[in-house]
DNA sequence: ACTGGTTGAAAATCACGACC
DNA sequence: GGTCGTGATTTTCAACCAGT
């Protein structure tokens, strides 16, 4: 990747400047096609490296000038006058993002879902930062046009098909969410680097009579959780009823489980036909100005159900769940700490599935 | 009959945003 | 960080046309 050249170049500059003699510069890559056999890691297969010696040396001439520029910027009384845009988060997030964003409008043009740098530059050229100021003729995608309309008129968008799609399900309706962790160095036989390993599920089941039942699973031992995960999951899903998820992440995990566990292949594949993606339904059929351009559960939930916020949760996003789980199964974590993590994980995952129940319910009430 | 340019459809690539 | 679907953008390529 582009950014690694600078990274490697600067490391070379620092080490060389510290007096080390450097024969060559190499970048090591993880081979994500490598499958661990469960016994010994084959380092040759796991890693590959590319020789970037020339690129690192070529980069050296840019560094002194760059450093001078950086020093000057740091010594200045005022922060550099750079308009915040996409570059602030690419390739990595900038720690001044919050600070620089303060001056931007509540409905900033960057919130137009899917907008690229080109259109943003055009708007900046015209001095337009607020979605309400976008001129009529300006070319926008269907979804961006929808966002603009909703913001300008301060109203939500409800497509005709929303009710129909939300009701195109069979009872009992399962609302399902998985948590996974992904390790760079594979830990279990038959897995690859960064392969997502599911360790927890939550299922809110809406029965025909309106009763809501909650079932959940969390692997508590330090072992490959997939077998137990699969068995408990198949048991709770049974053979009837739609399975609602948010995005098709769960589908992909189930497909991977079916691939890696031939003994459960059939029943796992049978669940795929029952999946319904609530994210897709909302993206295609509904918008609320408080989404601020994002259809993630974290944006959609507070807009539709303000009282169900994420603030009170110890675990607030998926990545954190995986990290906390690793801490929970770590033998060096004290028992009471493990207990707390367990509670937080169950609370988080259950919160997401209940959120889906409530969102669907609230959207149906619009009709 | 050949060349060069244009057009438009199809395919490939890229960017984005969602999940973990 | 990985992965995937979606939609936009770019590239490719064949068909077409005008001019020689």
């Amino acid at each position: 990747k582009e950014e690694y050249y600078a990274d490697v170049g600067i490391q070379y500059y620092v080490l060389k400047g510290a007096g080390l003699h450097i024969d060559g510069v190499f970048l090591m890559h993880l081979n994500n096609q490598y499958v661990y056999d469960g016994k010994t890691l084959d380092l040759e297969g796991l890693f590959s490296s590319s020789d970037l010696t020339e690129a690192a040396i070529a980069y050296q001439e840019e560094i002194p000038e760059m450093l001078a520029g950086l020093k000057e910027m740091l010594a200045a009384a005022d922060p550099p006058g750079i308009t915040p845009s996409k570059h602030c988060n690419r390739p990595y997030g900038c720690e001044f993002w919050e600070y620089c964003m303060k001056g931007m409008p509540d409905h900033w043009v960057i919130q137009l879902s899917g907008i690229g740098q080109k259109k943003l530059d055009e708007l900046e050229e015209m001095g337009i930062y607020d979605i309400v100021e976008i001129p009529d003729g300006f070319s926008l995608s269907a979804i961006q046009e929808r966002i603009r309309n909703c913001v300008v008129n301060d109203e939500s968008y409800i497509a005709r098909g929303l009710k129909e799609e939300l009701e195109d399900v069979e009872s009992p309706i399962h609302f399902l969410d998985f948590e996974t962790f992904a390790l760079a160095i594979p830990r279990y036989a038959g897995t690859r680097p960064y392969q997502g390993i599911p360790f927890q599920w939550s299922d809110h089941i809406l029965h025909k009579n309106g009763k809501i039942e909650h079932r959940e699973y969390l692997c508590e031992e330090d072992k490959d959780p997939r077998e137990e995960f699969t068995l408990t999951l198949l048991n709770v899903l049974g053979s009837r009823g739609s399975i609602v998820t948010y995005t098709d992440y769960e589908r992909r995990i189930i497909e991977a489980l079916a691939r890696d566990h031939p003994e459960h292949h059939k029943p796992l594949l049978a669940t795929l036909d029952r999946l319904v993606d609530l994210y897709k339904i909302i993206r295609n059929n509904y918008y609320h100005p408080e989404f601020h351009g994002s259809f993630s559960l974290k944006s959609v939930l507070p807009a539709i159900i303000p009282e169900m916020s994420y603030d009170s949760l110890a675990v607030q996003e998926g990545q954190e769940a995986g990290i906390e789980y690793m801490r929970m199964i770590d033998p060096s974590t004290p028992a009471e700490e493990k207990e707390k993590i367990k509670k937080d994980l169950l609370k988080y995952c259950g919160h997401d599935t209940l959120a889906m129940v409530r969102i669907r319910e609230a959207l149906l009430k619009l009709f």
Side-chain angles (χ1 to χ4, degrees):
Chain A
K1 285 178 189 170
E2 181 70 34
E3 60 265 31
Y4 297 152
Y5 289 96
D7 196 338
V8 140
I10 289 162
Q11 291 191 45
Y12 181 89
Y13 183 85
V14 171
L15 292 174
K16 187 116 188 179
L20 268 73
H21 172 74
I22 295 161
D23 288 329
V25 179
F26 298 87
L27 183 64
M28 286 186 85
H29 306 270
L30 270 168
N31 170 17
N32 60 8
Q33 300 303 307
Y34 169 77
V35 180
Y36 177 45
D37 66 4
K39 298 182 199 85
T40 43
L41 279 172
D42 169 24
L43 298 183
E44 295 290 315
L46 181 59
F47 294 110
S48 65
S49 62
S50 48
D51 188 341
L52 294 188
T53 308
E54 273 184 42
I57 290 171
Y59 193 73
Q60 297 309 298
E61 57 182 88
E62 295 181 38
I63 295 181
E65 200 181 327
M66 187 180 74
L67 287 176
L70 288 173
K71 278 182 184 161
E72 195 182 324
M73 184 267 289
L74 287 170
D78 300 309
I82 295 170
T83 312
S85 189
K86 296 265 182 191
H87 64 262
C88 301
N89 288 292
R90 272 206 318 252
Y92 306 112
C94 169
E95 55 185 302
F96 295 106
W97 173 251
E98 296 289 326
Y99 173 83
C100 297
M101 245 196 29
K102 271 188 203 143
M104 299 319 256
D106 191 28
H107 293 284
W108 183 13
V109 291
I110 207 167
Q111 294 166 4
L112 291 167
S113 181
I115 197 166
Q117 195 58 59
K118 229 171 118 189
K119 277 190 198 172
L120 282 174
D121 289 345
E122 283 175 44
L123 288 167
E124 193 180 334
E125 195 100 342
M126 294 187 277
I128 292 170
Y129 297 98
D130 197 317
I131 289 176
V132 299
E133 291 172 356
I134 297 172
D136 277 346
F138 194 81
S139 155
L140 294 172
S141 71
I143 211 153
Q144 292 164 1
E145 196 69 55
R146 183 181 307 160
I147 293 171
R148 189 177 79 117
N149 280 343
C150 288
V151 171
V152 169
N153 303 318
D154 191 26
E155 62 186 20
S156 54
Y157 165 83
I158 306 165
R160 298 275 156 256
L162 179 59
K163 181 180 159 74
E164 200 176 297
E165 287 198 37
L166 289 173
E167 284 177 341
D168 186 19
V169 287
E170 286 182 25
S171 284
I173 313 172
H174 298 265
F175 294 83
L176 188 66
D177 185 37
F178 295 168
E179 304 304 326
T180 66
F181 61 86
L183 299 171
I185 311 294
R187 181 185 283 220
Y188 310 120
T191 64
R192 301 182 304 184
Y194 297 117
Q195 179 175 341
I197 306 292
F199 61 85
Q200 179 181 14
W201 56 255
S202 167
D203 184 11
H204 272 89
I205 308 167
L206 177 59
H207 292 280
K208 200 150 194 169
N209 63 10
K211 287 257 162 56
I212 296 171
E213 179 189 355
H214 182 225
R215 302 275 293 276
E216 59 193 356
Y217 166 77
L218 171 63
C219 183
E220 294 182 42
E221 289 171 64
D222 181 6
K223 63 173 185 183
D224 186 344
R226 291 176 297 168
E227 175 73 17
E228 217 170 78
F229 180 96
T230 304
L231 287 172
T232 54
L233 179 68
L234 288 172
N235 177 53
V236 77
L237 290 179
S239 57
R240 285 181 37 255
S242 299
I243 303 165
V244 179
T245 62
Y246 211 79
T247 78
D248 61 1
Y249 184 74
E250 280 68 25
R251 170 186 295 275
R252 301 210 304 268
I253 299 296
I254 292 173
E255 281 168 351
L257 286 172
R259 188 190 64 221
D260 296 340
H261 299 265
E263 65 278 24
H264 304 304
H265 191 79
K266 264 207 168 142
L268 283 169
L269 289 187
T271 64
L272 297 179
D273 292 334
R274 297 159 60 193
L275 292 173
V276 174
D277 182 358
L278 183 60
Y279 164 75
K280 205 170 175 181
I281 294 177
I282 293 178
R283 197 178 202 291
N284 292 335
N285 296 291
Y286 184 74
Y287 191 76
H288 188 291
E290 288 308 307
F291 286 4
H292 290 283
S294 165
F295 294 88
S296 73
L297 195 54
K298 270 117 209 112
S299 306
V300 165
L301 179 62
I304 298 180
I305 319 278
E307 59 273 26
M308 266 189 94
S309 98
Y310 280 84
D311 299 348
S312 64
L313 294 174
V315 175
Q316 301 202 358
E317 54 184 280
Q319 286 188 56
E320 219 180 321
I323 294 164
E324 285 301 290
Y325 176 73
M326 295 314 290
R327 217 156 64 75
M328 185 183 91
I329 59 171
D330 187 326
S332 69
T333 305
E336 63 213 81
E337 181 71 8
K338 284 183 192 225
E339 199 54 35
K340 172 164 186 341
I341 297 171
K342 179 182 157 187
K343 283 207 178 84
D344 290 339
L345 285 172
L346 292 173
K347 199 168 159 191
Y348 169 70
C349 196
H351 183 268
D352 270 4
T353 48
L354 184 60
M356 289 194 281
V357 176
R358 296 294 176 227
I359 287 170
R360 178 173 177 276
E361 192 178 64
L363 291 176
L364 280 172
K365 273 195 192 135
L366 296 171
F367 295 91

